[in-house]
């Protein structure tokens, strides 16, 4: 989560995220994300959401998910474009690792593309 937020913050600094009306962050229910959010630049605007993914899919244009979640599968199933965050110093646990049609984001340049 920390690396994923850093990538989003870096992309926001470049102005890339301005194409989105809102950036929603849906943390895992058992992960305290607050300690990481306080380190984000003030220019990074986001909204915390806690609804189930099934309630959110119809309201989003794209998803940027952790490599350790099956949310990538749900996103594809409902037709939401998705990219997977690959932490640079950890194993990629994505169930779609190796699938060339899924964007694997390893750094801010990947995310900007």
């Amino acid at each position: 989560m920390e690396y994923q937020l850093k990538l989003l913050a870096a992309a926001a600094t470049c102005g890339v995220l301005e194409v989105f009306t809102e950036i929603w962050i849906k943390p895992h229910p058992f992960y305290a994300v607050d300690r990481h959010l306080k380190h984000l630049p003030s220019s990074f605007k986001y909204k915390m959401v806690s609804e189930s993914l099934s309630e959110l899919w119809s309201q989003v244009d794209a998803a940027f998910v952790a490599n350790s979640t099956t949310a990538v599968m749900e996103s594809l199933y409902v037709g939401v474009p998705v990219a997977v965050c690959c932490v640079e110093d950890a194993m990629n646990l994505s169930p779609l690792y190796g699938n060339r049609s899924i964007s694997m984001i390893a750094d801010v340049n990947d995310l900007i593309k």
Side-chain angles (χ1 to χ4, degrees):
M1 172 63 86
E2 181 179 8
Y3 188 71
Q4 193 172 8
L5 289 172
K6 285 180 183 180
L7 290 179
L8 284 170
T13 303
C14 298
V16 175
L17 300 181
E18 293 175 6
V19 298
F20 298 105
T21 306
E22 288 184 313
I23 302 296
W24 291 354
I25 296 174
K26 181 179 179 359
H28 189 281
F30 302 116
Y31 185 78
V33 70
D34 297 343
R35 64 183 172 174
H36 302 296
L37 294 174
K38 66 182 177 183
H39 298 293
L40 292 178
S42 60
S43 61
F44 183 74
K45 304 296 182 209
Y46 62 89
K47 174 182 172 182
M48 294 293 290
V49 294
S50 58
E51 294 86 357
S52 69
L53 287 176
S54 61
E55 294 176 65
L56 296 172
W57 289 127
S58 65
Q59 302 174 56
V60 301
D61 296 319
F64 180 41
V65 302
N67 71 23
S68 59
T69 179
T70 58
V72 66
M73 302 294 287
E74 288 184 54
S75 182
L76 290 173
Y77 181 76
V78 298
V80 172
V82 64
V84 175
C85 181
C86 301
V87 181
E88 58 191 354
D89 62 348
M91 186 171 27
N92 187 340
L93 300 173
S94 175
L96 292 179
Y97 177 73
N99 184 320
R100 295 174 198 243
S101 66
I102 303 299
S103 297
M104 296 289 170
I105 309 300
D107 58 37
V108 71
N109 293 321
D110 289 343
L111 185 56
I112 290 170
K113 289 177 194 172

